[in-house]
């Protein structure tokens, strides 16, 4: 029983991370048809923003020393600002480009950000301690659950709730959903394209910052590659959930998180190192059964 | 009735031009280049093979593939298994079957076998994946990359795990690199002008009309997939001979995206674009690498900080794509007279959008 509970919490917390990432990708894809491969580097950027640039082995914690009620908003603003800047400087020029071209442009942008970070901070992972109290376990029905997992799940659920309220109840949310459904039609009905796209980028950047914070707290290190893995899985999650569908992206994230944890727990010991191969294999199988994704929006059907 | 002009007669200049230009580059590099410069040239030729292989599938089918670097991995490891001296293999790769453990093949034999091996895997995997289209197919190829990388990084007794396998005879030089690139270009050209290649491009531009005309999309895509896997498998084999070590990290995301960038920067729907993209980016990389080392301006020595090379390449890629979204060649082919057929086919951009939507 406790083992099952532990697996459930592992799955939920890992799934939360992937869901937040998938959301950041799905929002931008919805309004722009852009698969943002720079998202992972946005995450890494937000983590490194807590450190003072130096190539020494020991990290000079800078913004990371702030109390949490200042640090969290600051990082969210940094994430949003980076994301908005990249829209204005780069992606705005690709509005009418072929998706492959946009994808490569976003990859090139991520490449630039990553090597900027490498130049400023060197490639060595640096230790960074945020809120050590969160590492302590709490007892929950007899299982030892790290406090951090609970916090991660709660934060994700809260972020999702806020986002759902925003999308369903506010004017801007309505505009964004309309734009994701049919961008041209929405523009004709008076939705300002630039506003909606900037908003989507801002939210996506904040989500990247949130992932960065959670990852840094979990791992206790700042590593240049930390965003890339989440980004890839999140990207796959959006496709499995149905590209362009916001709830689908979240569900996709949780499903992949759960699949990884369950494979990890149930595969025989020798096969455990091949867990990722099983996860990717499962992705291919899911796509073969439902190529348009599990929760594809109706508008995603190809019209002839 | 007037006789239709043959496709080959109209288009044969493109591959010949490309191969001759590359031969001139190889000759110049061999005559005047330093040892290090020649290594860069070989690397460029190998990249040309990979990107031309990518073009065979991506350019003709219009589907973006993230999985082709796994064929490079398959080819490189196959070559490692075949070409490393048995004495070394019995220490590092104990898990190999006995017959493989005792064979050692020269490069000329090991390389085609590696290509065929990659093509066979592509045939099996492709039968499944090619049923998908649009972004689902791209993600499925990505899944293939993930599976291959995960298996090769963890199957320690056969692949040496995360570490490198050493001991592949380093028999590459500029001429073999050129020959490989020339073979790749020739195969890609022959495929693109073949019945299957023309049919596949028809499905890329108008999939509904093409299938209404009796084209079996899955079959044509599978053929392109296998042909491209063969080319990239050979490239992987030559790469193994070039570095004389292989490790799984070399065949993962970084290579995938850099080769895709080269293809898109050059122009993803034309053979000339594939070659141009590689040459352009390789020249840029070499240029900035030299700037990083520093150049003397009179008494002043100017050097860019380390890492500036990658940043500059990224920015230049973005700038090129901003002004030439269809790539440097704008998806056209080089030739003396222009290629009227391709010029008409050179606007499939809309189709790709439709697939994604």
């Amino acid at each position: 029983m406790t083992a099952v509970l532990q697996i459930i919490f592992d799955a939920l917390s890992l799934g939360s991370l992937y869901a937040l990432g998938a959301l950041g990708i799905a929002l931008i894809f919805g309004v722009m048809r852009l698969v943002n491969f720079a998202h992972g580097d946005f995450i890494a950027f937000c983590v490194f923003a807590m450190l003072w640039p130096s190539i020494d082995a020991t990290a000079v914690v800078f913004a990371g020393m702030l109390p949490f009620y200042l640090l969290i908003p600051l990082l969210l603003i940094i994430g949003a600002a980076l994301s908005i800047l990249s829209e204005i400087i780069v992606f705005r020029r690709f509005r009418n480009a072929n998706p492959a071209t946009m994808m490569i442009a976003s990859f090139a942008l991520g490449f630039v950000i990553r090597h900027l970070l490498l130049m400023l901070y060197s490639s060595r992972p640096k230790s960074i301690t945020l809120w050590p109290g969160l590492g302590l376990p709490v007892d929950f029905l007899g299982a030892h659950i790290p406090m951090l997992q609970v916090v991660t799940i709660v934060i994700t659920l809260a972020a999702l709730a806020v986002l759902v309220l925003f999308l369903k109840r506010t004017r801007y949310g309505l505009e964004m959903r309309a734009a994701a459904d049919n961008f041209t039609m929405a523009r004709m009905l008076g939705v300002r394209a630039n506003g909606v796209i900037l908003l989507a980028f801002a939210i996506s950047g904040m989500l990247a910052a949130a992932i960065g914070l959670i990852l840094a707290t979990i791992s206790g290190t700042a590593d240049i590659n930390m965003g890339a893995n989440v980004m890839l899985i999140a990207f796959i999650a959006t496709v499995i959930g149905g590209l362009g569908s916001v709830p689908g992206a979240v569900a996709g994230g949780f499903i992949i998180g759960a699949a990884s944890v369950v494979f990890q727990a149930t595969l025989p010991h020798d096969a455990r190192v091949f867990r990722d191969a099983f996860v990717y294999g499962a992705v291919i199988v899911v796509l073969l059964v439902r190529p348009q994704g599990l929760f594809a929006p109706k508008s995603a059907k190809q019209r002839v | 009735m007037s006789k239709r002009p043959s496709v080959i007669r109209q288009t044969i200049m493109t591959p010949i031009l490309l191969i001759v230009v590359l031969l001139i580059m190889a000759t110049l590099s061999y005559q005047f280049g330093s040892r290090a410069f020649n290594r860069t040239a070989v690397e460029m030729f190998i990249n040309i093979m990979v990107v031309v292989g990518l073009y065979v599938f991506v350019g003709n089918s219009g589907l973006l593939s993230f999985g082709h670097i796994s064929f490079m991995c398959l080819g490189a490891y196959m070559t490692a298994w075949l070409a490393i001296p048995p004495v070394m293999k019995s220490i590092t790769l104990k898990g190999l079957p006995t017959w493989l453990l005792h064979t050692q093949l020269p490069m000329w034999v090991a390389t085609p076998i590696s290509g065929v091996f990659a093509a066979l895997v592509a045939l099996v995997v492709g039968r499944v994946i090619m049923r998908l289209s649009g972004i689902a197919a791209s993600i499925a190829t990505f899944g293939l990359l993930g599976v291959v990388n995960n298996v090769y990084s963890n199957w320690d007794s056969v692949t040496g795990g995360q570490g490198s396998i050493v001991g592949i005879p380093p028999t590459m030089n500029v001429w073999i690199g050129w020959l490989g690139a020339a073979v790749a270009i020739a195969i890609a050209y022959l495929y693109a002008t073949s019945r299957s290649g023309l049919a596949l491009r028809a499905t890329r531009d108008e999939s509904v009309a093409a299938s209404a005309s009796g084209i079996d999309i899955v079959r044509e895509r599978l053929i392109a997939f296998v042909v491209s896997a063969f080319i990239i498998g050979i490239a992987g084999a030559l790469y193994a001979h070039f570095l004389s070590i292989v490790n799984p990290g070399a065949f993962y995301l970084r290579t995938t995206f850099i080769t895709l960038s080269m293809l898109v920067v050059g122009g993803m729907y034309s053979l000339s674009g594939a070659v141009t993209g590689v040459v352009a980016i390789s020249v840029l990389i070499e240029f900035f690498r030299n700037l990083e080392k520093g150049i003397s301006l009179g008494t002043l020595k100017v050097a860019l900080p380390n890492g500036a090379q990658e940043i500059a390449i990224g920015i230049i890629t973005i700038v090129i794509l901003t002004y030439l979204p269809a790539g440097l060649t704008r998806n056209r082919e080089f030739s003396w007279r222009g290629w009227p057929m391709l010029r008409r086919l050179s606007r499939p951009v809309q189709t790709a959008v439709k697939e994604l939507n």
Side-chain angles (χ1 to χ4, degrees):
Chain A
M1 182 58 210
T2 55
V4 173
L5 208 61
Q6 216 117 34
I7 288 178
I8 290 175
F9 267 87
D10 283 348
L12 277 177
S13 63
L14 190 63
S16 302
L17 268 184
Y18 294 156
L20 286 177
L23 208 52
I25 289 172
L27 279 176
I28 292 183
F29 184 86
V31 292
M32 255 186 101
R33 297 290 176 263
L34 158 72
V35 178
N36 185 10
F37 276 110
H39 201 69
D41 300 292
F42 288 179
I43 296 173
F45 185 92
C46 292
V47 173
F48 277 93
M50 289 188 277
L51 306 175
W52 187 252
S54 79
I55 51 172
D56 303 334
T58 50
V60 185
V61 181
F62 173 56
M65 284 192 303
L66 291 171
F68 75 93
Y69 52 86
L70 287 179
L71 176 62
I72 293 175
L74 179 71
L75 271 194
L76 291 182
I77 291 171
I78 290 177
L82 176 68
S83 189
I84 287 179
L85 263 183
S86 65
E87 204 283 320
I88 293 175
I89 297 177
V90 178
F91 295 125
R92 186 160 288 188
R93 301 170 208 287
F94 291 93
R95 290 269 169 89
N96 299 317
N98 172 339
T101 306
M102 274 206 275
M103 216 181 261
I104 297 299
S106 77
F107 164 68
L109 174 71
F111 196 72
V112 170
I113 295 176
R114 156 183 290 242
H115 282 95
L116 204 65
L117 290 177
L118 275 176
M119 207 162 151
L120 293 175
Y121 294 94
S122 86
S123 60
R124 265 177 298 207
K126 303 186 172 201
S127 76
I128 173 171
T129 319
L130 295 168
W131 310 307
L134 289 180
L136 301 175
V138 287
D139 283 325
F140 183 78
L141 297 178
H144 293 286
I145 312 290
M147 188 63 191
L148 190 59
Q149 282 194 354
V150 181
V151 175
T152 306
I153 297 168
V154 171
I155 288 179
T156 306
L157 293 181
L160 288 182
V162 171
L163 205 64
V164 167
L165 279 180
F166 168 78
L167 286 175
K168 297 265 173 180
R169 291 293 161 85
T170 66
R171 182 195 157 83
Y172 297 108
L174 183 72
E175 286 186 353
M176 198 176 283
R177 280 188 297 136
D181 197 49
N182 187 335
F183 195 68
T184 321
M185 177 62 107
R187 283 190 76 175
M188 283 183 214
L189 293 174
V191 170
R192 274 157 306 174
N194 282 340
V196 167
I197 289 178
L198 279 179
L199 196 60
F201 270 94
I203 298 176
S204 167
M206 283 194 238
L207 289 168
I211 298 174
L213 265 175
I214 296 173
L215 274 181
T217 321
I218 294 177
S219 63
T221 51
D223 182 355
I224 211 96
N225 294 314
M226 65 195 313
N229 259 329
V230 177
M231 200 313 284
L232 283 175
I233 302 280
F235 174 41
I236 295 172
T238 49
V239 176
I240 287 202
L243 258 177
S245 153
V246 170
V250 174
F254 277 111
I255 291 172
I256 295 198
S260 310
V261 172
V262 170
F263 275 130
Q264 178 78 27
T266 55
L267 283 177
H269 191 74
D270 292 338
R272 219 164 269 181
V273 288
F274 299 114
R275 184 197 69 182
D276 289 350
F278 282 92
V279 174
Y280 287 121
V283 166
I284 296 179
V285 171
V286 169
L287 285 174
L288 285 172
V289 180
R290 280 189 69 91
Q292 71 279 44
L294 294 171
F295 308 92
K298 286 211 180 67
S299 63
K301 279 221 187 82
Q302 208 175 316
R303 286 185 209 120
V304 175
Chain B
M1 223 171 89
S2 64
K3 208 175 154 225
R4 268 189 303 164
S6 95
V7 178
I8 299 254
R9 250 223 334 259
Q10 282 184 13
T11 56
I12 189 73
M13 280 321 292
T14 304
I16 293 180
L17 262 177
L18 290 173
I19 291 173
V20 168
V21 169
L22 291 181
L23 179 62
I24 294 171
M25 293 172 91
T27 315
L28 287 177
S29 160
Y30 184 75
Q31 287 292 330
F32 304 109
S34 62
R35 214 177 124 73
F37 187 86
N38 271 301
R39 279 188 76 80
T40 313
V42 175
E43 217 176 335
M44 182 184 85
F45 285 127
I46 293 173
N47 276 330
I48 287 178
M49 295 182 71
V50 176
V51 176
V52 164
L54 262 176
Y55 154 78
V56 168
F57 181 72
V58 176
N60 289 313
S61 75
L63 297 175
L64 213 53
S65 164
F66 298 110
H68 271 76
I69 296 304
S70 53
F71 298 124
M72 198 176 170
C73 184
L74 294 172
Y77 273 89
M78 195 53 172
T79 288
W81 293 333
L82 292 172
I84 295 179
V87 190
M88 295 175 75
K89 265 193 285 197
S90 54
I91 302 167
T92 49
L93 306 171
K94 292 193 189 71
L96 287 177
T98 337
W99 58 270
L100 197 54
L101 217 45
H102 294 298
T103 36
Q104 185 187 7
L105 297 175
M107 182 179 183
W108 299 107
V109 187
T111 304
I113 293 180
S114 304
V116 169
F117 173 63
L120 282 178
V121 173
L123 184 66
V124 175
V125 180
R127 285 190 76 89
V128 180
I129 293 182
M130 289 305 119
R131 280 193 270 158
L132 298 168
S133 52
I135 195 128
S138 302
I139 298 301
T141 56
F142 184 80
L144 170 69
L145 181 71
V147 171
V148 169
N149 182 266
N150 185 258
V151 169
Y152 275 72
S153 338
N154 290 299
W155 198 358
D156 294 2
S157 62
V158 174
T159 64
Q162 305 267 3
S164 306
I165 318 182
V166 294
I168 306 153
T171 46
M172 272 298 276
N173 60 37
V174 178
W175 303 115
I176 303 176
W178 170 77
L179 185 67
V183 168
I185 290 172
I187 295 177
Y189 169 73
L190 288 177
Y191 175 74
T193 47
S194 73
R195 186 188 166 83
S196 168
L198 292 171
L200 189 59
R201 280 207 298 283
T203 72
R204 176 192 80 186
D205 293 337
E206 275 303 335
S207 65
V208 178
S211 52
S213 320
I215 294 175
D216 182 349
I217 298 187
V218 177
R219 180 170 165 268
E220 308 305 346
R221 277 184 185 160
L222 183 61
I223 295 174
F225 197 65
V226 171
V227 172
S228 64
F230 176 73
I231 296 176
I232 294 181
I234 290 183
L238 294 185
Y239 187 72
H241 279 292
F242 167 60
L243 285 185
S244 97
I245 61 169
V246 285
N247 72 317
F251 309 107
Y252 201 40
L253 297 172
R254 190 186 153 88
T255 317
T256 300
F257 281 111
I258 287 185
T259 47
L260 271 177
S261 302
M262 287 171 167
L263 181 62
V264 173
V265 164
M268 62 191 273
Y269 295 130
S270 79
L271 180 58
S272 315
V275 178
T276 310
V278 182
V279 173
I281 293 203
S282 305
V283 168
L284 279 175
I285 289 177
E286 184 60 19
F287 174 71
F288 282 106
R289 209 180 268 164
N290 282 327
L291 280 190
E292 267 180 13
K293 271 188 229 141
I295 42 164
S296 313
L297 296 172
T299 52
L300 202 67
K301 195 167 155 92
V302 189
L304 290 174
N306 269 337
Q309 174 212 333
E310 282 89 352
I311 296 177
I313 301 283
I315 293 175
I316 290 174
T317 306
I318 294 176
V319 172
I320 292 176
L321 292 178
T322 310
Y323 292 104
L324 295 168
L328 290 171
T329 58
R330 283 181 274 160
N331 289 331
R332 285 185 297 201
E333 300 286 2
F334 299 137
S335 76
W336 297 131
R337 286 177 297 176
W339 191 350
M341 249 185 57
L342 257 199
R343 211 170 270 164
R344 249 186 294 138
L345 289 179
S346 71
R347 284 191 296 150
V349 178
Q350 287 305 316
T351 342
V353 175
K354 221 164 44 190
E355 287 239 42
L356 260 183
N357 272 335

